[in-house]
């Protein structure tokens, strides 16, 4: 089957082999913290110092990791595919961008950006943020609206192939993308069956660095 319009959704599993922890593989804690403490507006209001320290550490950690074969394969797909490829990521790391993906929507925000608390202006951020300052991490926390949802929905409507990679499919709205794209062929690439596995036409299980390059190769060889 020849495809023309691909939408790819990625989650933290694609960055696991680069050395970044996934969200739910460690007893529900993210780097030792409860999500309510570090990934909600209420947690930020309660303890801005802790939340800033947490994201400052995550941002600094990006300097110690690099894109893996799965990130690189998706950038290669975008470069070589004859049709359109939109990469929607739930990840806030910058590994897809560093691998060379261009048509990308980081729907849960980016560690390398900051947002002004009063004006909502978004700016690049390389530095550690100061809890006494007026900038917050540009991260979509639980209870907040993910970014660029209408652009994502439009692309899902037009897609003829939807691929979900390295996500447990537990967090909405991303977990619902497979339903929005049900007119398209749908494929899950994950270490193990996710919560949504049965919703997909096809599921391939294994390590992202192995199964993603193999699947990209298959797609590029199809005429
Ligand atoms: N290769 C492929 N998949 C992997 C690998 C790997 N090497 N390692 C782990 N996985 C899979 C796990 O089996 C799991 O299904 O990646 C998935 C990671 O799931 P989660 O930890 O739930 O992460 P994710 O789906 O990205 O979380 C979604 O939740 O906390 C919020 O906003 C946060 O973006 C995040 C969202």
């Amino acid at each position: 089957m020849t495809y023309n319009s691909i939408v790819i959704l990625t989650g933290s599993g694609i960055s696991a082999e680069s050395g970044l922890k996934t969200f739910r593989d460690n007893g529900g804690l993210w780097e030792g913290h409860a999500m309510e403490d570090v990934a909600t507006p209420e947690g930020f209001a309660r303890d801005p110092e802790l939340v800033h320290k947490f994201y400052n550490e995550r941002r600094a950690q990006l300097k110690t990791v690099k894109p893996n074969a799965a990130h690189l394969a998706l950038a290669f797909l975008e470069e070589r595919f004859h049709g359109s490829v939109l990469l929607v990521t739930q990840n806030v790391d910058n590994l897809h961008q560093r691998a060379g993906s261009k048509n990308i929507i980081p729907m849960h925000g980016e560690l390398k950006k900051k947002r002004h608390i009063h004006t909502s202006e978004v700016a690049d951020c390389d530095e550690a943020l100061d809890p006494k300052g007026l900038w917050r991490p540009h991260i979509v926390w639980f209870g907040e609206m993910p970014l660029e949802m209408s652009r994502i929905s439009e692309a899902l409507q037009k897609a003829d192939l939807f691929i979900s990679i390295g996500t447990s499919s537990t967090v909405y709205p991303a977990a619902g993308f497979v339903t929005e794209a049900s007119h398209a062929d749908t494929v899950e690439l994950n270490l193990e069956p996710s919560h949504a596995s049965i919703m997909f036409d096809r599921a391939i299980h294994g390590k992202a660095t192995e199964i993603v390059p193999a699947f990209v190769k298959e797609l590029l060889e199809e005429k």
Side-chain angles (χ1 to χ4, degrees):
M1 160 112 198
T2 311
Y3 300 108
N4 289 306
S5 182
I6 305 177
V7 176
I8 304 167
L9 170 70
T10 63
S12 58
I14 198 166
S15 297
E17 291 164 81
S18 289
L20 294 175
K21 293 223 168 69
T22 61
F23 292 90
R24 288 174 188 76
D25 291 348
N26 300 285
L29 296 182
W30 186 17
E31 297 275 2
H33 292 277
M35 304 252 180
E36 307 80 74
D37 292 338
V38 294
T40 60
E42 295 76 18
F44 185 53
R46 210 164 40 232
D47 195 345
E49 293 218 356
L50 171 82
V51 175
H52 272 297
K53 181 170 179 286
F54 179 77
Y55 289 99
N56 287 341
E57 282 170 10
R58 303 280 73 72
R59 191 177 306 107
Q61 188 185 27
L62 294 179
K63 295 197 178 93
T64 69
V65 296
K66 51 183 202 308
N68 65 44
H71 300 106
L72 293 167
L74 295 185
F76 187 69
L77 176 67
E78 182 185 330
E79 192 189 305
R80 295 295 170 92
F81 188 64
H82 65 87
S84 72
V85 178
L86 173 66
L87 177 58
V88 180
T89 187
Q90 299 171 89
N91 299 343
V92 296
D93 65 47
N94 60 356
L95 295 179
H96 283 305
Q97 291 88 338
R98 281 164 59 193
S101 286
K102 303 264 182 304
N103 197 18
I104 174 170
I105 299 180
M107 65 179 287
H108 289 170
E110 292 172 74
L111 282 168
K112 299 279 280 181
K113 291 198 170 150
K114 60 187 177 185
R115 196 188 318 153
H116 197 276
I117 287 170
H118 299 312
T119 66
S120 296
E121 179 197 343
V122 173
D124 288 341
C125 178
D126 269 327
E127 73 278 12
L129 291 176
D130 178 354
K132 289 180 238 48
L134 290 174
W135 296 91
R136 59 164 271 183
H138 184 48
I139 302 287
V140 176
W141 287 324
F142 284 97
E144 298 181 325
M145 183 59 91
L147 309 173
E148 304 207 52
M149 284 308 297
S150 54
R151 222 179 111 204
I152 298 171
S153 282
E154 238 169 70
L156 287 168
Q157 293 310 317
K158 286 196 206 126
D160 46 23
L161 176 63
F162 172 67
I163 314 169
S164 172
I165 305 172
T167 173
S168 61
S169 293
T170 46
V171 174
Y172 283 82
F177 289 174
V178 62
T179 316
E180 266 190 79
S182 57
H183 56 277
D185 281 355
T186 56
V187 183
E188 172 176 270
L189 305 179
N190 203 47
L191 190 60
E192 60 202 359
S194 76
H195 286 79
S197 264
I198 52 161
M199 311 280 292
F200 288 83
D201 299 316
R202 187 175 165 198
I204 303 169
H205 298 129
K207 289 181 173 176
T209 55
E210 291 165 12
I211 60 178
V212 176
F215 190 73
V216 163
K217 185 164 181 279
E218 189 185 309
L219 274 179
L220 290 175
E221 279 168 1
E222 273 168 8
K223 287 281 167 295

